[in-house]
Amino acid sequence: MYKDLEQALLDLEKAGMLKRVYQEVDPFLEMAEIARQTFENHGPALLFEHVKGSPFRAACNIFGTQERLDFLFRNTLAGTQTEVLFKSNPVEFFKHARPKALCQAALTGIHSLPQKSGSIKDFKECKLSDLPQIVCWPHDGGAFLTLPQVATRPAENASVMTTNLGMYRIQISGNDYASDECGLHYQIKRDIARHHQKAIEEGRPLKVSIFIGGPPAHTVAAVMPMPENLSELLFAGMLGGRRFRYFIYNGYLVSSDADFCILGEIQPDLKPEGPFGDHIGYYSDRHLFPYLKVEKVLCKKNAIYPFTVVGRPPQEDTLFGNFIHQVTKPMVPASIPGLAALHAVDEAGVHPLCLALAHERFLPYIKPEEREPLELLKTANAILGFNQASLTKYLLIAAAEDFADSEGKNSLTATPTAIVRDVEGFFKHILERIDFSRDLHFETCTSIDTLDYTGGRLNHGSKLTLAAAGPVRRNLRHDPQDLNSLREALSPSGITVAASPLPGVIMLQGPAYDASSRDALIAQLNEALGRWPFRENYPWITLIDSATDAFPSGAAQNTLRDFLWLTFTRSDPAKDIFGYNERTCEKHWECGAPMIVDARIKPHHQKALTLSDDIRNRARQILIEENILTEDR
């Protein structure tokens, strides 16, 4: 039940979970790389005492391990989970609730109500340029806030209970922003858009408050997928065990407990924002986005600036995702009838790949061997229209009934959540059962994640649902001798075998992408596959570049992580999926095994994130000198 960020950091330090960095550090690339290396080595939270060019201290890796998340919310997590279960599934809650749980839910509910408290006199004024100007990647367009809590209301006089609190990219330097302007990059399907649209319709600027720091629960609340019209401020109070404290200043909502508050109005025109490295592992390009005219920048005495870093997963936001799932686990299935579990795969960039387990009960009287995806398709459509899951590009969905034995018991003795989080096992289950002539369902010319450039236009691309239900259709193989015979079949096409990251899946390396020769290359590949006796046993092929970055993780024998990242962040289903003996029947695209995903780099793709050895070595040296890392780590 922390009242501010510093109290939480001191608690972490007392528990041995935080280290201070005393030497001056450079916010240009250096601090971000220090944070990345600390996270990669499962290191502590860091408090930087001296940031070059800024009067403020900075902290990172606060949420970088499950142990720290459990520690920070050790007194409130159970109550929050109880409250979420109560709100999402009251019947299930009361079926198992004990008096202690009922009391806990009531107490947590009280803490969730925001409380008017504090005034402008509790803050000092500063400038945007006073904040640590942290730049994460060499080609970034400037500095941006990585852990902002962006608060808006539908109108100045609207109730605080209508507040939307979200985490959006806020550029504070670079491009052509004036010293009192900052960018506001909110992606599609974000709740802030409703408030912005209302302000546009009413011909007034939208007042925006950006909070930085405060109790850790406030930062977590800004990334929670709360239902529309249910304020994240309620969740901040629940998880924090302390009511969200606020006051109103000149029509702006101000968090009384934040370390910094930026108050400004969205302007009627747009300005260029970016480019920036993003959480998928690539740069996002420079585009026009809304921006704020800043009225005031407020700070507390001894304010601390929290930040995180972005880059190819896993990063600290991976832990955010796991924690969100831990808290909201009952919420998603309760919102989508028929859904048993859902998992957005972090290693694939989150939105590019989602695994779902759902029920197939439309025809309960048919024999198991006659089962096919029917109800699964209804559930898949619901997933693709639900909250942030609607940004999913590839959806793999399986029938829960196929994981049960003849007595209806789970043959894997695993929970639905465990099933979808076993990525290798789930792929194997799908590939054993999928019928490529029936079970591939494309959605073309649709909206995708703003940070995903595979479709060729901002926010535009396609989606693919792969639904599998019923008996095993094929046996998957994972034999090095099979790959040798495929090499022989492919010679001399210019395509080589790279690896088999899991049963039934092969990664092939081909020449650099050339639109004019792709059809011929795919025809060559199909011809070679037609001569290969194990074609049906390897129903998934990913075609990647033969460049030196083909396996960014380093070891070709441990390529599952690379398979997920390369396949799903470098392909658009409608543009880049082919198949053996592919055809269209009654406007339905189908093929035989294998399906081929062309995940080579295309001209419209963005660059992957890289950093010079000089910066890496400098960051490592600082960590060694500060006794945070040792020479052998």
Side-chain angles (χ1 to χ4, degrees):
M1 301 181 185
Y2 304 112
K3 63 182 178 63
D4 56 31
L5 177 59
E6 185 164 33
Q7 187 182 46
L9 296 181
L10 289 173
D11 199 24
L12 287 173
E13 184 175 40
K14 185 178 178 182
M17 298 183 185
L18 177 141
K19 297 287 186 183
R20 295 176 187 252
V21 177
Y22 291 99
Q23 61 181 288
E24 185 180 68
V25 289
D26 194 335
F28 183 74
L29 303 181
E30 188 174 273
M31 288 176 69
E33 180 58 15
I34 289 172
R36 279 190 291 269
Q37 291 190 25
T38 303
F39 174 81
E40 288 168 6
N41 288 279
H42 310 289
L46 300 179
L47 178 59
F48 298 95
E49 296 284 359
H50 304 287
V51 178
K52 184 178 179 180
S54 175
F56 298 109
R57 296 173 292 166
C60 71
N61 207 29
I62 299 167
F63 309 101
T65 67
Q66 186 63 48
E67 179 189 18
R68 282 200 290 284
L69 283 162
D70 291 341
F71 179 82
L72 288 168
F73 305 115
R74 61 193 182 277
N75 297 320
T76 58
L77 179 57
T80 301
Q81 290 172 314
T82 299
E83 189 74 13
V84 169
L85 176 60
F86 169 67
K87 290 183 179 298
S88 61
N89 197 337
V91 174
E92 188 68 18
F93 173 80
F94 283 111
K95 188 188 298 182
H96 302 287
R98 296 182 178 181
K100 183 179 179 181
L102 292 169
C103 293
Q104 195 174 45
L107 186 61
T108 303
I110 292 171
H111 287 153
S112 72
L113 299 174
Q115 178 182 4
K116 203 164 189 178
S117 173
S119 74
I120 196 74
K121 296 178 182 178
D122 300 328
F123 290 85
K124 301 187 300 181
E125 285 198 49
C126 62
K127 303 186 295 292
L128 286 176
S129 58
D130 292 329
L131 302 178
Q133 302 293 299
I134 295 172
V135 176
C136 294
W137 295 100
H139 300 299
D140 282 1
F144 74 97
L145 311 181
T146 53
L147 288 178
Q149 307 153 39
V150 182
T152 57
R153 293 179 294 159
E156 284 184 33
N157 59 353
S159 164
V160 68
M161 300 295 283
T162 65
T163 302
N164 175 72
L165 192 71
M167 191 171 286
Y168 316 114
R169 194 163 66 199
I170 307 294
Q171 184 170 354
I172 59 173
S173 68
N175 291 345
D176 59 349
Y177 294 123
S179 60
D180 61 347
E181 294 174 346
C182 61
L184 173 56
H185 174 131
Y186 67 79
Q187 299 173 44
I188 59 173
K189 303 178 183 177
R190 297 301 196 263
D191 286 344
I192 188 176
R194 293 183 291 109
H195 295 175
H196 194 186
Q197 179 65 33
K198 190 171 188 295
I200 292 171
E201 291 170 353
E202 295 175 357
R204 58 176 174 82
L206 180 66
K207 288 185 180 291
V208 178
S209 306
I210 303 169
F211 314 138
I212 308 170
H218 293 192
T219 299
V220 175
V223 295
M224 291 302 296
M226 299 297 285
E228 192 172 303
N229 297 320
L230 185 60
S231 176
E232 289 80 8
L233 302 189
L234 298 172
F235 183 85
M238 281 187 222
L239 187 62
R242 184 174 184 269
R243 297 170 68 179
F244 183 93
R245 285 154 170 77
Y246 73 96
F247 62 89
I248 304 297
Y249 170 77
N250 194 23
Y252 292 97
L253 178 76
V254 180
S255 167
S256 303
D257 296 330
D259 288 71
F260 301 90
C261 294
I262 300 169
L263 311 178
E265 293 181 341
I266 295 183
Q267 299 304 290
D269 57 332
L270 305 174
K271 281 196 172 185
E273 187 264 1
F276 284 114
D278 63 48
H279 67 259
I280 296 179
Y282 304 88
Y283 285 97
S284 57
D285 210 350
R286 199 169 186 251
H287 296 286
L288 293 174
F289 277 97
Y291 70 99
L292 303 183
K293 183 77 170 178
V294 175
E295 183 175 325
K296 279 188 182 296
V297 182
L298 306 173
C299 64
K300 286 284 184 67
K301 182 181 178 181
N302 298 322
I304 298 172
Y305 178 87
F307 72 97
T308 188
V309 293
V310 292
R312 180 185 169 184
Q315 299 287 345
E316 187 178 10
D317 58 3
T318 300
L319 276 296
F320 268 119
N322 292 342
F323 188 72
I324 289 170
H325 173 78
Q326 187 179 351
V327 173
T328 63
K329 187 164 57 175
M331 190 183 295
V332 176
S335 303
I336 302 177
L339 181 64
L342 192 66
H343 174 45
V345 181
D346 184 71
E347 294 90 340
V350 182
H351 294 314
L353 175 63
C354 193
L355 310 181
L357 186 69
H359 293 288
E360 183 53 68
R361 302 169 295 195
F362 271 7
L363 300 175
Y365 48 82
I366 65 171
K367 297 175 182 179
E369 61 269 21
E370 297 172 347
R371 188 181 293 127
E372 63 177 294
L374 294 173
E375 186 178 1
L376 289 189
L377 300 181
K378 175 191 77 71
T379 306
N381 286 330
I383 293 169
L384 294 177
F386 177 72
N387 211 318
Q388 295 306 305
S390 61
L391 296 175
T392 298
K393 184 166 64 173
Y394 286 87
L395 173 62
L396 276 63
I397 186 167
E401 288 69 24
D402 289 331
F403 285 88
D405 60 21
S406 59
E407 297 179 355
K409 298 177 181 177
N410 192 331
S411 60
L412 300 184
T413 63
T415 65
T417 297
I419 290 171
V420 296
R421 297 185 80 84
D422 175 12
V423 176
E424 181 171 345
F426 198 87
F427 260 85
K428 180 175 182 292
H429 180 91
I430 291 279
L431 294 179
E432 286 175 334
R433 289 164 175 78
I434 193 164
D435 179 349
F436 288 111
S437 69
R438 181 193 66 197
D439 297 337
L440 302 176
H441 303 274
F442 288 84
E443 187 175 333
T444 61
C445 300
T446 189
S447 58
I448 60 173
D449 186 6
T450 301
L451 302 180
D452 190 329
Y453 284 80
T454 57
R457 292 172 57 203
L458 187 68
N459 299 323
H460 291 73
S462 64
K463 303 176 188 293
L464 173 62
T465 295
L466 298 94
V472 170
R473 294 179 171 274
R474 61 182 64 84
N475 294 319
L476 305 182
R477 291 172 64 97
H478 200 210
D479 188 335
Q481 295 304 316
D482 297 346
L483 304 188
N484 289 334
S485 66
L486 180 57
R487 289 185 181 95
E488 293 176 6
L490 288 168
S491 179
S493 66
I495 302 172
T496 60
V497 177
S500 178
L502 64 160
V505 175
I506 294 177
M507 298 172 75
L508 300 179
Q509 289 180 310
Y513 176 83
D514 176 25
S516 63
S517 62
R518 180 161 73 167
D519 287 348
L521 184 73
I522 296 298
Q524 271 188 304
L525 178 54
N526 270 283
E527 184 181 356
L529 290 170
R531 299 192 302 269
W532 188 46
F534 304 114
R535 179 178 55 78
E536 188 71 31
N537 307 112
Y538 292 87
W540 187 299
I541 287 179
T542 291
L543 182 63
I544 62 174
D545 290 285
S546 56
T548 54
D549 71 340
F551 295 105
S553 294
Q557 62 268 33
N558 184 24
T559 55
L560 177 59
R561 182 183 168 211
D562 288 330
F563 162 73
L564 294 170
W565 188 62
L566 293 169
T567 300
F568 298 103
T569 66
R570 293 187 180 180
S571 65
D572 172 79
K575 283 182 168 66
D576 298 323
I577 285 184
F578 301 87
Y580 182 74
N581 194 25
E582 64 180 76
R583 54 209 174 269
T584 301
C585 180
E586 297 178 354
K587 303 196 172 55
H588 177 82
W589 188 90
E590 59 187 60
C591 67
M595 184 180 79
I596 303 164
V597 182
D598 184 358
R600 293 176 296 167
I601 297 172
K602 319 300 189 305
H604 59 274
H605 288 184
Q606 296 299 303
K607 290 182 179 179
L609 302 176
T610 58
L611 195 66
S612 71
D613 288 340
D614 288 345
I615 296 296
R616 293 184 192 279
N617 294 337
R618 172 61 183 156
R620 178 172 172 76
Q621 188 59 36
I622 290 172
L623 289 167
I624 291 171
E625 291 172 1
E626 295 285 345
N627 296 314
I628 295 164
L629 289 184
T630 58
E631 291 281 0
D632 59 346
R633 288 181 65 190

